[in-house]
């Protein structure tokens, strides 16, 4: 192994650990998992005096004993990709177990993982639509017109959500706009007598937008003692949920105010 006190080598290890932590946070890993993985990467190469601070929006790595090197990376966007989390966990275990892996090869592997696409967009949208429709069936929307309408509505809502996220990167606003469209489509289809009631369509179609995984990860961070990250994740999930409720509520309230019936 290279000299563990070499400045260039140390910087390379810290950069590798920072990039790994960034990928984990971007793809939805818990904060305590990110910090633990970064520390294991550094410790495996002989750097035992590393401090790590991670939150949903930033990672800071600092060497407090030798020369005071510190690296920081801000996180602008986050999603949930459990496949990439699994690949990153496997990489970290392999890197820690095998100290002879060249850093260039390790960094190349991380870049390859960052560009992995598990499923095609068409398959993702189809799965989203079917999942939403079957959930609507559980609530009583078990006729063919409701089933097909929920598939189409949920897919349109997810496409709209992603389009707005590319423009604004504000999940609350994107959720508000998507839920507004869902409620509008539900009411229009009801008026056209295509479906009997908008309730099951609306509830089924908003399921892909709900931040359930993010909320659970926030609770796990709180339990693990990462108070800042836990509160931030939980609050972000609650804001998104409120935005969805407001989007649906605004449309339904306008409809009732105009004399419509649900």
């Amino acid at each position: 192994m290279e000299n563990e006190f070499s400045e260039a080598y140390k910087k390379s290890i810290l950069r590798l650990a920072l990039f790994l932590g960034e990928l984990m946070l971007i793809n939805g890993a818990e904060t305590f998992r990110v910090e633990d993985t970064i520390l294991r990467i550094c410790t495996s190469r002989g750097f035992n005096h590393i401090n790590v601070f991670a939150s949903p929006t930033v990672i800071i790595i600092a060497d407090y004993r030798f020369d005071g090197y510190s690296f920081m990376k801000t996180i602008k966007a986050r999603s949930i990709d459990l496949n990439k989390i699994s690949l990153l966990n496997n990489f970290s275990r392999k890197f820690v177990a095998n100290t002879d892996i060249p850093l260039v090869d390790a960094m190349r592997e991380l870049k390859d993982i960052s560009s992995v696409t598990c499923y095609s967009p068409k398959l993702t949208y189809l799965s989203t639509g079917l999942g939403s429709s079957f959930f609507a069936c559980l609530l009583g929307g078990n006729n063919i017109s409701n089933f097909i309408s929920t598939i189409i509505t949920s897919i349109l809502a997810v496409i709209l959500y992603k389009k707005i996220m590319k423009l604004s990167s504000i999940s609350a606003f994107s959720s508000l706009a998507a839920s507004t469209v869902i409620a509008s489509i539900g009411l229009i289809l009801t008026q056209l007598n295509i479906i009997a009631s908008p309730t099951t369509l609306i509830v089924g179609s908003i399921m892909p937008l709900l931040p359930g995984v993010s909320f659970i990860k926030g609770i796990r961070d709180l339990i693990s003692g990462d108070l800042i990250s836990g509160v931030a994740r939980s609050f972000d999930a609650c804001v998104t949920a409120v935005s969805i409720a407001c989007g649906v509520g605004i449309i339904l309230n306008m409809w009732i105010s105009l004399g419509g019936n649900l």
Side-chain angles (χ1 to χ4, degrees):
M1 187 178 69
E2 300 179 54
N3 183 4
E4 62 181 1
F5 299 104
S6 165
E7 292 186 7
Y9 182 66
K10 186 190 305 182
K11 289 179 180 179
S12 297
I13 290 295
L14 294 179
R15 289 193 182 99
L16 178 73
L18 181 65
F19 186 43
L20 175 58
E22 176 190 358
L23 292 179
M24 294 183 72
L25 270 184
I26 287 175
N27 291 287
E30 299 90 341
T31 301
F32 72 88
R33 188 188 300 274
V34 174
E35 294 178 343
D36 179 69
T37 300
I38 291 174
L39 290 175
R40 289 178 183 273
I41 292 293
C42 295
T43 302
S44 70
R45 297 305 186 266
F47 303 111
N48 302 308
H49 305 282
I50 302 296
N51 276 336
V52 181
F53 172 79
S55 75
T57 56
V58 67
I59 303 175
I60 301 174
I61 304 176
D63 183 348
Y64 66 86
R65 177 171 178 177
F66 297 113
D67 41 37
Y69 288 133
S70 62
F71 294 82
M72 182 181 75
K73 180 65 178 181
T74 56
I75 309 299
K76 297 297 184 181
R78 294 169 300 280
S79 62
I80 303 295
D81 192 330
L82 298 182
N83 178 56
K84 286 187 179 180
I85 295 298
S86 177
L87 293 175
L88 292 170
N89 285 336
N90 292 336
F91 167 84
S92 66
R93 294 188 185 98
K94 181 175 66 174
F95 187 84
V96 170
N98 186 1
T99 58
D100 295 326
I101 296 178
L103 295 182
V104 175
D105 293 344
M107 185 62 75
R108 185 183 301 112
E109 184 174 349
L110 282 180
K111 291 180 180 179
D112 291 340
I113 292 175
S114 68
S115 60
V116 167
T117 54
C118 187
Y119 303 106
S120 66
K122 291 182 179 179
L123 180 58
T124 302
Y125 292 140
L126 179 60
S127 300
T128 298
L130 290 175
S132 300
S133 296
F134 281 117
F135 190 86
C137 287
L138 293 176
L139 300 176
N142 50 6
N143 56 72
I144 188 64
S145 60
N146 201 311
F147 189 86
I148 295 176
S149 298
T150 304
I151 290 179
I152 297 173
T153 303
S154 60
I155 292 175
L156 290 176
V158 171
I159 292 175
L160 177 63
Y161 176 87
K162 292 185 176 181
K163 294 291 185 182
I164 297 177
M165 282 295 293
K166 290 181 179 179
L167 297 175
S168 68
S169 71
I170 302 175
S171 60
F173 177 72
S174 302
S175 299
L176 177 66
S179 60
T180 299
V181 170
I182 290 172
S184 300
I185 293 176
L187 292 175
I188 292 172
L189 294 179
T190 303
Q191 284 299 109
L192 296 176
N193 292 322
I194 296 176
I195 58 176
S197 171
T199 305
T200 55
L201 182 143
I202 292 174
V203 175
S205 298
I206 66 173
M207 290 306 296
L209 304 176
L210 293 178
V213 177
S214 298
F215 183 75
I216 294 301
K217 288 184 178 294
I219 298 300
R220 290 190 64 182
D221 281 340
L222 286 173
I223 294 174
S224 301
D226 295 305
L227 302 181
I228 295 177
S229 298
V231 171
R233 287 180 186 269
S234 300
F235 182 76
D236 182 61
C238 290
V239 169
T240 302
V242 170
S243 299
I244 295 172
C246 288
V248 174
I250 290 171
I251 298 301
L252 295 183
N253 184 63
M254 291 175 58
W255 176 251
I256 293 174
S257 299
L258 294 174
N261 297 316
L262 297 179

